[in-house]
Amino acid sequence: MPHRASTKSGERTVQLADLDKRYVWHPFTQMSDWNDGRPLVIERGEGSYLIDTDGNRYLDGVSSLWTVVHGHGRAEINDAIRAQLDDLAHSTLLGLANVPSVHLAHSLVDIAPAELEKVFYSDSGSTAVEIALKMAFQYWQQRGRPDKHRFISLVNAYHGDTVGAVSVGGIDLFHGIFGKLLFDTIQVPIEVGALEKVLDEQADGVAAMIVEPLVQGAAGMLMQPDGYLGEVARLCRAHDVLLIADEVATGFGRTGKMFACEHEGVSPDLMCLAKGLTGGYLPLAATLATREIYDAFLGARGDNKQFFHGHTYTGNPLACAAALASLRLFEQEKVIERVVVRAEQLRVLLQERIAPLKAVSEVRQRGLMIGIELGVEGAGYDVCQRARHYGVVVRNLGDVVVLMPPLSITEPELAILVSAVDLSIQDVLK
Ligand SMILES: *Cc1c(COP(=O)(O)O)cnc(C)c1O
């Protein structure tokens, strides 16, 4: 029986909720809706659970927006951050190096696809994407091919919310309104023939193609057919177009491999990492590049060939220390092997409990990335709100209920998660 959260709020919770409504503007949120509701105020995290200011426990079914890897409050990561804090909280990478950012870059290059040899840090998935786009653009300028300045992106793509990332995005609901602000891209459907045609005709004007490998997350967990990514990589290479793999959502074990590109033996030219990089503890991102790209930015001082980009908190030592601790846990706990087992357990549960429901039109899964498509318009939000009653926090993308539990979730917790979603769908769509 899933845990039922209490419906009473203590005085402190009411006060915090009132202050939140007075002062905080929440992302992707209709605030008039929010202000009519009763927000959960989260105070603590423990393993797979979030705990609110009234002491109610909620299974974190979306890993605090796809970030938490080894659970909340992992001693190993907490200790690493504390130890780093005693040495240094921040120092810039503009003109200086720092200890954990050196070690982390080394570790990332070790585990990344073979041809990625250099690490450029930033702070969010969006900035990792902006950097990849600007690197690709400047690369061709400096290779003497300035006409190669456009980008190919996929329909339903999501690469973040800054203006460059939105330009290569393809979700109308998020991106449509900003149309006049964006640069023009070549959008292709997920279909090898269509890409081949575009490349045959326009590759001379294209700097790079950007893809979310295997799974388009924010679009609602849309799965690409097997072999598609491999074909994209082959075609891009054959046409002298760089391939940018946006692994912000799929990276760090989510799909059952460390990086989704590994499923198809693909080594992209640029790779964007963020969300799970620090295990979900601190904001940090990285754009990995090949030596060939890096070398195009070398020259004499005064040649002005360096990469003109850098954020203030680039390579923050606390965040890098958290990421290093997270990578150590991947090894110590054989996390990838466990994810494969958990994904299979979850698949069975979803087949038993969710797929047969009349209100469910499709269940999509890759590793621990799951989209439950409801056949009823507008129900996704209500189902997710209802799940709180059963002690589970999940978040919908339109009519899709997303499950993205921490990679550390246990088998009994998976059963709680699926049971709560099952009951919520039945309650809302009886
Ligand atoms: C979340 C996401 C981003 C944006 O990351 P932020 O840290 O929110 O800026 C970019 N690409 C993909 C594939 C994502 O899922």
Side-chain angles (χ1 to χ4, degrees), residues 66 123-127 129 158-161 212 218 246 248-249 274-275:
W66 315 0
D123 327 293
S124 74
S126 304
T127 57
V129 166
Y158 177 78
H159 297 290
D161 297 332
E212 293 160 86
D246 178 354
V248 169
K275 289 192 170 102

Side-chain angles (χ1 to χ4, degrees), residues 48 59-69 72 215-218 220-221 223 247-255 275-276 346 350 364 366-372 392-395 397 401-409 414 417 421:
S48 301
L59 187 61
D60 186 355
V62 286
S63 300
S64 294
L65 217 61
W66 315 0
T67 61
V68 174
V69 176
H72 293 276
V215 187
Q216 290 185 303
M221 302 295 151
M223 307 294 160
E247 293 246 14
V248 169
T250 52
F252 301 101
R254 269 287 147 205
T255 65
K275 289 192 170 102
L346 184 53
L350 292 166
R364 297 184 286 270
R366 185 94 204 200
L368 288 180
M369 300 178 84
I370 290 89
I372 299 167
V392 164
V393 167
V394 280
R395 194 177 153 81
L397 288 160
V401 176
V402 171
L403 309 185
M404 282 271 255
L407 305 190
S408 56
I409 194 166
L414 279 181
L417 175 62
V421 171

Side-chain angles (χ1 to χ4, degrees), residues 105-124:
H106 186 180
S107 297
L108 288 174
V109 168
D110 269 356
I111 60 172
E115 286 169 53
L116 297 167
E117 293 184 35
K118 303 287 175 180
V119 176
F120 194 99
Y121 289 111
S122 62
D123 327 293
S124 74

Side-chain angles (χ1 to χ4, degrees), residues 291-340:
R291 174 170 294 275
E292 190 180 335
I293 291 176
Y294 174 87
D295 283 349
F297 291 74
L298 300 178
R301 207 197 306 157
D303 277 0
N304 291 334
K305 287 175 91 176
Q306 64 266 45
F307 183 45
F308 287 101
H309 193 107
H311 298 283
T312 309
Y313 278 97
T314 286
N316 175 260
L318 292 174
C320 289
L324 279 164
S326 171
L327 291 182
R328 282 194 294 273
L329 283 172
F330 266 100
E331 259 187 46
Q332 283 164 16
E333 303 200 326
K334 298 196 166 48
V335 169
I336 304 291
E337 289 169 37
R338 198 182 59 217
V339 167
V340 174

